[in-house]
């Protein structure tokens, strides 16, 4: 079973969204082929996945946030 330290935190302004590695991998796989902002999100998720546990945070810019919403909508 994965521990909380395996999770990735998306920092959305003042909000922090904790994602499991399964969720991160789904977003990661869908973000590679889209716009520049989506590719930036993809790159940041890749970096976070490779980071040490407890240091897996992604500061999501407003542009990245819009792409994240599109990706999450497509997942639903």
């Amino acid at each position: 079973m994965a521990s909380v330290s395996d999770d990735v935190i998306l920092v959305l302004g003042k909000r922090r969204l904790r994602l499991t590695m399964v969720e991160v991998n789904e977003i990661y796989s869908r973000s590679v082929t889209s716009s520049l902002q989506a590719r930036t999100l993809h790159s940041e998720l890749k970096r976070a996945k490779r980071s040490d546990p407890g240091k897996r945070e992604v500061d999501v810019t407003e542009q990245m946030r819009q792409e994240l919403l599109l990706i999450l909508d497509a997942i639903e």
Side-chain angles (χ1 to χ4, degrees), residues 10-31:
L10 297 184
V11 181
L12 304 153
K14 294 181 181 182
R15 258 183 95 201
R16 298 169 64 79
L17 178 63
R18 181 178 302 276
L19 299 176
T20 66
M21 271 304 169
V22 171
E23 294 166 326
V24 169
N25 287 333
E26 179 71 22
I27 294 167
Y28 177 80
S29 68
R30 291 175 181 259
S31 64

PDB file of all heavy atoms in Angstrom, residues 10-31:
ATOM      1  N   LEU A  10      -0.156  19.222  -5.522  1.00  0.00           N
ATOM      2  CA  LEU A  10      -0.282  20.312  -6.484  1.00  0.00           C
ATOM      3  C   LEU A  10      -0.624  21.565  -5.701  1.00  0.00           C
ATOM      4  O   LEU A  10      -1.601  21.581  -4.947  1.00  0.00           O
ATOM      5  CB  LEU A  10      -1.367  20.021  -7.510  1.00  0.00           C
ATOM      6  CG  LEU A  10      -1.175  18.811  -8.416  1.00  0.00           C
ATOM      7  CD1 LEU A  10      -2.290  18.739  -9.441  1.00  0.00           C
ATOM      8  CD2 LEU A  10       0.172  18.837  -9.106  1.00  0.00           C
ATOM      9  N   VAL A  11       0.187  22.594  -5.863  1.00  0.00           N
ATOM     10  CA  VAL A  11      -0.039  23.855  -5.177  1.00  0.00           C
ATOM     11  C   VAL A  11      -0.769  24.777  -6.149  1.00  0.00           C
ATOM     12  O   VAL A  11      -0.228  25.173  -7.177  1.00  0.00           O
ATOM     13  CB  VAL A  11       1.290  24.487  -4.705  1.00  0.00           C
ATOM     14  CG1 VAL A  11       1.024  25.795  -3.981  1.00  0.00           C
ATOM     15  CG2 VAL A  11       2.063  23.513  -3.813  1.00  0.00           C
ATOM     16  N   LEU A  12      -2.017  25.070  -5.822  1.00  0.00           N
ATOM     17  CA  LEU A  12      -2.889  25.882  -6.668  1.00  0.00           C
ATOM     18  C   LEU A  12      -3.209  27.169  -5.911  1.00  0.00           C
ATOM     19  O   LEU A  12      -4.237  27.267  -5.251  1.00  0.00           O
ATOM     20  CB  LEU A  12      -4.174  25.115  -6.994  1.00  0.00           C
ATOM     21  CG  LEU A  12      -3.969  23.748  -7.644  1.00  0.00           C
ATOM     22  CD1 LEU A  12      -5.100  22.822  -7.342  1.00  0.00           C
ATOM     23  CD2 LEU A  12      -3.775  23.923  -9.130  1.00  0.00           C
ATOM     24  N   GLY A  13      -2.294  28.116  -5.978  1.00  0.00           N
ATOM     25  CA  GLY A  13      -2.460  29.337  -5.205  1.00  0.00           C
ATOM     26  C   GLY A  13      -2.367  29.012  -3.732  1.00  0.00           C
ATOM     27  O   GLY A  13      -1.369  28.493  -3.265  1.00  0.00           O
ATOM     28  N   LYS A  14      -3.445  29.253  -2.992  1.00  0.00           N
ATOM     29  CA  LYS A  14      -3.470  28.959  -1.562  1.00  0.00           C
ATOM     30  C   LYS A  14      -3.956  27.541  -1.266  1.00  0.00           C
ATOM     31  O   LYS A  14      -3.909  27.083  -0.141  1.00  0.00           O
ATOM     32  CB  LYS A  14      -4.353  29.969  -0.830  1.00  0.00           C
ATOM     33  CG  LYS A  14      -3.795  31.370  -0.874  1.00  0.00           C
ATOM     34  CD  LYS A  14      -4.677  32.334  -0.129  1.00  0.00           C
ATOM     35  CE  LYS A  14      -4.080  33.737  -0.225  1.00  0.00           C
ATOM     36  NZ  LYS A  14      -4.871  34.714   0.510  1.00  0.00           N
ATOM     37  N   ARG A  15      -4.430  26.850  -2.300  1.00  0.00           N
ATOM     38  CA  ARG A  15      -4.937  25.478  -2.145  1.00  0.00           C
ATOM     39  C   ARG A  15      -3.849  24.467  -2.422  1.00  0.00           C
ATOM     40  O   ARG A  15      -2.995  24.667  -3.276  1.00  0.00           O
ATOM     41  CB  ARG A  15      -6.060  25.232  -3.145  1.00  0.00           C
ATOM     42  CG  ARG A  15      -7.414  25.302  -2.533  1.00  0.00           C
ATOM     43  CD  ARG A  15      -8.483  24.986  -3.522  1.00  0.00           C
ATOM     44  NE  ARG A  15      -8.846  23.581  -3.445  1.00  0.00           N
ATOM     45  CZ  ARG A  15      -9.440  22.937  -4.414  1.00  0.00           C
ATOM     46  NH1 ARG A  15      -9.734  23.528  -5.523  1.00  0.00           N
ATOM     47  NH2 ARG A  15      -9.756  21.681  -4.260  1.00  0.00           N
ATOM     48  N   ARG A  16      -3.890  23.370  -1.701  1.00  0.00           N
ATOM     49  CA  ARG A  16      -2.967  22.266  -1.913  1.00  0.00           C
ATOM     50  C   ARG A  16      -3.800  21.019  -2.187  1.00  0.00           C
ATOM     51  O   ARG A  16      -4.672  20.668  -1.402  1.00  0.00           O
ATOM     52  CB  ARG A  16      -2.079  22.081  -0.691  1.00  0.00           C
ATOM     53  CG  ARG A  16      -1.225  23.301  -0.414  1.00  0.00           C
ATOM     54  CD  ARG A  16      -0.542  23.252   0.932  1.00  0.00           C
ATOM     55  NE  ARG A  16       0.418  22.181   1.082  1.00  0.00           N
ATOM     56  CZ  ARG A  16       1.666  22.205   0.597  1.00  0.00           C
ATOM     57  NH1 ARG A  16       2.095  23.256  -0.053  1.00  0.00           N
ATOM     58  NH2 ARG A  16       2.475  21.186   0.797  1.00  0.00           N
ATOM     59  N   LEU A  17      -3.537  20.378  -3.299  1.00  0.00           N
ATOM     60  CA  LEU A  17      -4.284  19.203  -3.712  1.00  0.00           C
ATOM     61  C   LEU A  17      -3.357  17.995  -3.681  1.00  0.00           C
ATOM     62  O   LEU A  17      -2.366  17.952  -4.399  1.00  0.00           O
ATOM     63  CB  LEU A  17      -4.850  19.419  -5.118  1.00  0.00           C
ATOM     64  CG  LEU A  17      -5.635  18.287  -5.747  1.00  0.00           C
ATOM     65  CD1 LEU A  17      -6.893  18.000  -4.935  1.00  0.00           C
ATOM     66  CD2 LEU A  17      -5.994  18.632  -7.177  1.00  0.00           C
ATOM     67  N   ARG A  18      -3.673  17.032  -2.820  1.00  0.00           N
ATOM     68  CA  ARG A  18      -2.860  15.821  -2.698  1.00  0.00           C
ATOM     69  C   ARG A  18      -3.356  14.784  -3.706  1.00  0.00           C
ATOM     70  O   ARG A  18      -4.542  14.450  -3.740  1.00  0.00           O
ATOM     71  CB  ARG A  18      -2.966  15.266  -1.278  1.00  0.00           C
ATOM     72  CG  ARG A  18      -2.137  14.023  -1.036  1.00  0.00           C
ATOM     73  CD  ARG A  18      -2.242  13.542   0.397  1.00  0.00           C
ATOM     74  NE  ARG A  18      -1.838  14.555   1.341  1.00  0.00           N
ATOM     75  CZ  ARG A  18      -0.579  14.795   1.715  1.00  0.00           C
ATOM     76  NH1 ARG A  18       0.400  14.100   1.181  1.00  0.00           N
ATOM     77  NH2 ARG A  18      -0.321  15.726   2.601  1.00  0.00           N
ATOM     78  N   LEU A  19      -2.435  14.280  -4.525  1.00  0.00           N
ATOM     79  CA  LEU A  19      -2.768  13.261  -5.516  1.00  0.00           C
ATOM     80  C   LEU A  19      -1.953  12.005  -5.250  1.00  0.00           C
ATOM     81  O   LEU A  19      -0.780  12.082  -4.896  1.00  0.00           O
ATOM     82  CB  LEU A  19      -2.439  13.758  -6.932  1.00  0.00           C
ATOM     83  CG  LEU A  19      -3.159  15.003  -7.426  1.00  0.00           C
ATOM     84  CD1 LEU A  19      -2.636  15.392  -8.795  1.00  0.00           C
ATOM     85  CD2 LEU A  19      -4.659  14.771  -7.484  1.00  0.00           C
ATOM     86  N   THR A  20      -2.578  10.868  -5.468  1.00  0.00           N
ATOM     87  CA  THR A  20      -1.853   9.603  -5.382  1.00  0.00           C
ATOM     88  C   THR A  20      -1.008   9.444  -6.639  1.00  0.00           C
ATOM     89  O   THR A  20      -1.230  10.128  -7.650  1.00  0.00           O
ATOM     90  CB  THR A  20      -2.823   8.417  -5.278  1.00  0.00           C
ATOM     91  OG1 THR A  20      -3.560   8.328  -6.505  1.00  0.00           O
ATOM     92  CG2 THR A  20      -3.761   8.559  -4.086  1.00  0.00           C
ATOM     93  N   MET A  21      -0.067   8.521  -6.614  1.00  0.00           N
ATOM     94  CA  MET A  21       0.753   8.266  -7.800  1.00  0.00           C
ATOM     95  C   MET A  21      -0.097   7.755  -8.958  1.00  0.00           C
ATOM     96  O   MET A  21       0.183   8.055 -10.107  1.00  0.00           O
ATOM     97  CB  MET A  21       1.871   7.266  -7.491  1.00  0.00           C
ATOM     98  CG  MET A  21       3.130   7.873  -6.999  1.00  0.00           C
ATOM     99  SD  MET A  21       3.806   9.109  -8.123  1.00  0.00           S
ATOM    100  CE  MET A  21       5.029   9.752  -7.031  1.00  0.00           C
ATOM    101  N   VAL A  22      -1.142   7.029  -8.674  1.00  0.00           N
ATOM    102  CA  VAL A  22      -2.041   6.556  -9.732  1.00  0.00           C
ATOM    103  C   VAL A  22      -2.677   7.754 -10.438  1.00  0.00           C
ATOM    104  O   VAL A  22      -2.711   7.811 -11.676  1.00  0.00           O
ATOM    105  CB  VAL A  22      -3.122   5.608  -9.158  1.00  0.00           C
ATOM    106  CG1 VAL A  22      -4.181   5.289 -10.199  1.00  0.00           C
ATOM    107  CG2 VAL A  22      -2.492   4.339  -8.623  1.00  0.00           C
ATOM    108  N   GLU A  23      -3.152   8.713  -9.667  1.00  0.00           N
ATOM    109  CA  GLU A  23      -3.759   9.921 -10.239  1.00  0.00           C
ATOM    110  C   GLU A  23      -2.728  10.738 -11.008  1.00  0.00           C
ATOM    111  O   GLU A  23      -3.000  11.225 -12.116  1.00  0.00           O
ATOM    112  CB  GLU A  23      -4.390  10.770  -9.133  1.00  0.00           C
ATOM    113  CG  GLU A  23      -5.573  10.099  -8.466  1.00  0.00           C
ATOM    114  CD  GLU A  23      -5.996  10.750  -7.174  1.00  0.00           C
ATOM    115  OE1 GLU A  23      -5.128  11.259  -6.418  1.00  0.00           O
ATOM    116  OE2 GLU A  23      -7.216  10.748  -6.907  1.00  0.00           O
ATOM    117  N   VAL A  24      -1.543  10.880 -10.436  1.00  0.00           N
ATOM    118  CA  VAL A  24      -0.471  11.633 -11.098  1.00  0.00           C
ATOM    119  C   VAL A  24      -0.105  10.963 -12.416  1.00  0.00           C
ATOM    120  O   VAL A  24       0.064  11.637 -13.438  1.00  0.00           O
ATOM    121  CB  VAL A  24       0.772  11.757 -10.184  1.00  0.00           C
ATOM    122  CG1 VAL A  24       1.970  12.281 -10.949  1.00  0.00           C
ATOM    123  CG2 VAL A  24       0.461  12.656  -8.999  1.00  0.00           C
ATOM    124  N   ASN A  25       0.004   9.649 -12.414  1.00  0.00           N
ATOM    125  CA  ASN A  25       0.365   8.935 -13.641  1.00  0.00           C
ATOM    126  C   ASN A  25      -0.689   9.111 -14.732  1.00  0.00           C
ATOM    127  O   ASN A  25      -0.354   9.228 -15.913  1.00  0.00           O
ATOM    128  CB  ASN A  25       0.611   7.453 -13.353  1.00  0.00           C
ATOM    129  CG  ASN A  25       1.912   7.229 -12.616  1.00  0.00           C
ATOM    130  OD1 ASN A  25       2.857   8.013 -12.731  1.00  0.00           O
ATOM    131  ND2 ASN A  25       1.961   6.171 -11.832  1.00  0.00           N
ATOM    132  N   GLU A  26      -1.954   9.152 -14.359  1.00  0.00           N
ATOM    133  CA  GLU A  26      -3.032   9.371 -15.338  1.00  0.00           C
ATOM    134  C   GLU A  26      -2.922  10.768 -15.946  1.00  0.00           C
ATOM    135  O   GLU A  26      -2.994  10.937 -17.168  1.00  0.00           O
ATOM    136  CB  GLU A  26      -4.401   9.178 -14.672  1.00  0.00           C
ATOM    137  CG  GLU A  26      -5.572   9.409 -15.597  1.00  0.00           C
ATOM    138  CD  GLU A  26      -5.753   8.327 -16.638  1.00  0.00           C
ATOM    139  OE1 GLU A  26      -5.264   7.200 -16.447  1.00  0.00           O
ATOM    140  OE2 GLU A  26      -6.393   8.618 -17.667  1.00  0.00           O
ATOM    141  N   ILE A  27      -2.745  11.772 -15.108  1.00  0.00           N
ATOM    142  CA  ILE A  27      -2.598  13.151 -15.598  1.00  0.00           C
ATOM    143  C   ILE A  27      -1.331  13.268 -16.429  1.00  0.00           C
ATOM    144  O   ILE A  27      -1.320  13.864 -17.512  1.00  0.00           O
ATOM    145  CB  ILE A  27      -2.589  14.150 -14.422  1.00  0.00           C
ATOM    146  CG1 ILE A  27      -3.951  14.160 -13.730  1.00  0.00           C
ATOM    147  CG2 ILE A  27      -2.231  15.563 -14.900  1.00  0.00           C
ATOM    148  CD1 ILE A  27      -3.966  14.868 -12.393  1.00  0.00           C
ATOM    149  N   TYR A  28      -0.252  12.684 -15.950  1.00  0.00           N
ATOM    150  CA  TYR A  28       1.043  12.713 -16.628  1.00  0.00           C
ATOM    151  C   TYR A  28       0.927  12.141 -18.038  1.00  0.00           C
ATOM    152  O   TYR A  28       1.397  12.746 -19.011  1.00  0.00           O
ATOM    153  CB  TYR A  28       2.049  11.915 -15.793  1.00  0.00           C
ATOM    154  CG  TYR A  28       3.420  11.792 -16.389  1.00  0.00           C
ATOM    155  CD1 TYR A  28       4.341  12.830 -16.277  1.00  0.00           C
ATOM    156  CD2 TYR A  28       3.812  10.631 -17.032  1.00  0.00           C
ATOM    157  CE1 TYR A  28       5.606  12.714 -16.812  1.00  0.00           C
ATOM    158  CE2 TYR A  28       5.075  10.504 -17.564  1.00  0.00           C
ATOM    159  CZ  TYR A  28       5.977  11.544 -17.447  1.00  0.00           C
ATOM    160  OH  TYR A  28       7.229  11.421 -17.979  1.00  0.00           O
ATOM    161  N   SER A  29       0.273  11.005 -18.167  1.00  0.00           N
ATOM    162  CA  SER A  29       0.167  10.358 -19.485  1.00  0.00           C
ATOM    163  C   SER A  29      -0.691  11.168 -20.458  1.00  0.00           C
ATOM    164  O   SER A  29      -0.460  11.143 -21.663  1.00  0.00           O
ATOM    165  CB  SER A  29      -0.388   8.943 -19.353  1.00  0.00           C
ATOM    166  OG  SER A  29      -1.726   8.973 -18.932  1.00  0.00           O
ATOM    167  N   ARG A  30      -1.638  11.925 -19.956  1.00  0.00           N
ATOM    168  CA  ARG A  30      -2.506  12.721 -20.821  1.00  0.00           C
ATOM    169  C   ARG A  30      -1.938  14.102 -21.132  1.00  0.00           C
ATOM    170  O   ARG A  30      -2.407  14.763 -22.051  1.00  0.00           O
ATOM    171  CB  ARG A  30      -3.882  12.881 -20.182  1.00  0.00           C
ATOM    172  CG  ARG A  30      -4.657  11.589 -20.145  1.00  0.00           C
ATOM    173  CD  ARG A  30      -5.949  11.769 -19.400  1.00  0.00           C
ATOM    174  NE  ARG A  30      -6.697  10.541 -19.328  1.00  0.00           N
ATOM    175  CZ  ARG A  30      -7.735  10.242 -20.111  1.00  0.00           C
ATOM    176  NH1 ARG A  30      -8.138  11.097 -21.012  1.00  0.00           N
ATOM    177  NH2 ARG A  30      -8.357   9.103 -19.972  1.00  0.00           N
ATOM    178  N   SER A  31      -0.944  14.539 -20.381  1.00  0.00           N
ATOM    179  CA  SER A  31      -0.439  15.904 -20.557  1.00  0.00           C
ATOM    180  C   SER A  31       0.696  16.015 -21.560  1.00  0.00           C
ATOM    181  O   SER A  31       1.097  17.116 -21.916  1.00  0.00           O
ATOM    182  CB  SER A  31       0.021  16.473 -19.206  1.00  0.00           C
ATOM    183  OG  SER A  31       1.111  15.735 -18.695  1.00  0.00           O
TER     184      SER A  31
END
